Amino acid sequence: AMENLVEHLQSLVAWYHKDRHEEKLDQSNAKLTTVELREMLRALGMFVQNQNDLRQRLSELQVAVGADGGGLDMEKVTKVLVGSDHFNRAQSGRFFVATSLREAEALRGCIHLRQGKHLVDGKDVQIALRVGDTLIDASGGFTQAGQYQARQARQLFKFFNSDLDYTDSEVSMLLAGIKRNDLEARETFFEEIRSVRRRTRKDWHISSLSPALTTQNEYILLAR
């Protein structure tokens, strides 16, 4: 039930952000089911194929699951979700870079000139050119990013572009990407970049971007 999920999330957040020197909160003994966890991940924009996929990922993280799909240890799940990127399947060694039109033109020329060869001699490097979500060109052997990682990169570029409009899942993915930066640094970055743009400046406090600049991470946002 959604009410039960919200209660668990509130317990999760309360446990994680409690003072480490205080006595352990009773809520940290709460248990979560795989159904509730999958709904939570879905709300965060993270894709989980099915219950078997979720169980496999939990097994890789050595998180015990009961035969009925219940009994997930809240403390361990909290550490896994907040302390790692395992569930969003971010691929190490993959980078997203914004380029100018001239840079993109030069890169496309390199792709065509190096057809049938390594893009960089002696290196396993592949690149692709995109406009938004549309793939324009790619070197041989290039593989697409995972769904979550690609969508999150899109939200980060929107943030760099001073965009104010996001859906709930998009702002959650954005938060996941910038949560290691404190709130003051996020706001300063956003305001300084926006200050040099020739646009009408709207108040971000009343926009859908607001949670990304006022909430520490995506888990707190979900529990609200």
Side-chain angles (χ1 to χ4, degrees), residues 9-204:
L9 291 176
Q10 289 172 339
S11 298
L12 184 153
V13 174
W15 176 83
Y16 185 74
H17 290 278
K18 75 180 191 301
D19 188 326
R20 298 283 175 162
H21 301 291
E22 293 178 356
E23 291 184 5
K24 197 170 194 177
L25 299 177
D26 291 338
Q27 291 96 321
S28 65
N29 294 319
K31 300 297 181 181
L32 194 68
T33 69
T34 53
V35 173
E36 291 168 338
L37 179 57
R38 188 180 177 195
E39 287 302 313
M40 173 179 167
L41 295 172
R42 184 176 299 169
L44 292 168
M46 301 181 191
F47 178 71
V48 179
Q49 289 183 332
N50 49 45
Q51 289 293 320
N52 289 335
D53 180 28
L54 180 57
R55 283 176 175 270
Q56 176 61 35
R57 299 196 199 188
L58 290 170
S59 175
E60 292 170 2
L61 293 164
Q62 299 182 335
V63 176
V65 184
D68 61 353
L72 291 173
D73 183 85
M74 180 62 68
E75 181 173 331
K76 198 160 191 176
V77 169
T78 303
K79 288 181 178 179
V80 166
L81 289 176
V82 184
S84 78
D85 293 322
H86 187 84
F87 278 96
N88 59 27
R89 297 294 198 190
Q91 184 182 11
S92 177
R94 183 181 292 274
F95 303 93
F96 295 82
V97 181
T99 70
S100 66
L101 288 175
R102 179 169 293 184
E103 289 168 337
E105 182 181 17
L107 287 171
R108 194 171 195 186
C110 291
I111 290 173
H112 289 206
L113 287 171
R114 301 292 292 182
Q115 286 184 347
K117 305 175 183 178
H118 286 293
L119 191 65
V120 178
D121 289 332
K123 302 293 182 181
D124 183 17
V125 177
Q126 305 296 341
I127 62 172
L129 296 173
R130 289 181 175 276
V131 175
D133 294 325
T134 303
L135 182 67
I136 302 299
D137 210 340
S139 59
F142 176 81
T143 57
Q144 299 275 17
Q147 183 183 48
Y148 180 89
Q149 193 171 16
R151 291 181 65 199
Q152 185 186 59
R154 178 74 170 141
Q155 309 322 311
L156 290 166
F157 282 129
K158 286 174 61 178
F159 182 71
F160 297 156
N161 194 46
S162 306
D163 287 11
L164 295 177
D165 296 323
Y166 301 82
T167 65
D168 289 344
S169 63
E170 287 174 346
V171 80
S172 178
M173 285 186 280
L174 172 60
L175 256 175
I178 62 176
K179 64 186 176 185
R180 290 180 175 81
N181 302 286
D182 63 48
L183 296 176
E184 183 179 356
R186 295 179 208 172
E187 181 178 348
T188 298
F189 175 87
F190 182 79
E191 291 287 14
E192 289 187 355
I193 294 295
R194 189 168 68 151
S195 69
V196 298
R197 298 190 186 281
R198 296 179 180 178
R199 297 180 191 169
T200 300
R201 294 185 63 182
K202 298 180 180 179
D203 185 0
W204 62 260

